Amino acid sequence: MPTVNDVCQHVRSKNAGPFWVTFDLFFDGDENFKKYATSPSLGPDLFNRLFGADAATVKAFPVPSLNMVKISYGRSSPQGGEVERDMHCGQQFVRLLDVELDAVS
């Protein structure tokens, strides 16, 4: 099965304010966007497992005009708190790169 790294030309993570983290997955073309942007492999369970996110807060926003999907979740603690290890969440995307994707039928 292909991984996120195989089908995306660019993946990034960042803060979406002090209470949210967001990931942008830019697919390498229309075909892969259609196959994988809404893959169940990128669902709330993945973000719960990898980041400890409350699955109920995970939201996905496909953007077909850019062949990308934005996935956001609520932080368990605000940006800059005592347990913060990546203040801007700029390195969080690395955990997604090896995630295997199921194609959407």
Side-chain angles (χ1 to χ4, degrees), residues 41-103:
S41 303
L42 294 172
D45 291 339
L46 172 71
F47 289 87
N48 176 265
R49 192 182 70 215
L50 292 182
F51 304 103
D54 177 353
T57 70
V58 177
K59 300 174 189 231
F61 306 94
V63 183
S65 61
L66 297 175
N67 291 327
M68 66 90 72
V69 63
K70 179 179 289 292
I71 303 171
S72 301
Y73 68 84
R75 288 171 159 268
S76 58
S77 64
Q79 176 188 8
E82 279 186 35
V83 298
E84 187 69 63
R85 296 184 59 82
D86 181 6
M87 185 100 129
H88 301 287
C89 296
Q91 302 301 311
Q92 301 300 312
F93 75 93
V94 174
R95 295 181 191 175
L96 291 181
L97 297 177
D98 293 326
V99 170
E100 293 181 340
L101 299 172
D102 293 321

Side-chain angles (χ1 to χ4, degrees), residues 2-72:
T3 65
V4 168
N5 197 43
D6 294 333
V7 299
C8 290
Q9 65 182 7
H10 186 68
V11 180
R12 66 183 177 198
S13 56
K14 58 189 175 181
N15 284 329
F19 304 106
W20 288 84
V21 176
T22 194
F23 296 82
D24 298 327
L25 285 72
F26 292 87
F27 290 86
D28 60 8
D30 188 53
E31 183 179 337
N32 280 333
F33 172 79
K34 288 177 181 173
K35 274 189 198 176
Y36 303 111
T38 58
S39 172
S41 303
L42 294 172
D45 291 339
L46 172 71
F47 289 87
N48 176 265
R49 192 182 70 215
L50 292 182
F51 304 103
D54 177 353
T57 70
V58 177
K59 300 174 189 231
F61 306 94
V63 183
S65 61
L66 297 175
N67 291 327
M68 66 90 72
V69 63
K70 179 179 289 292
I71 303 171
S72 301

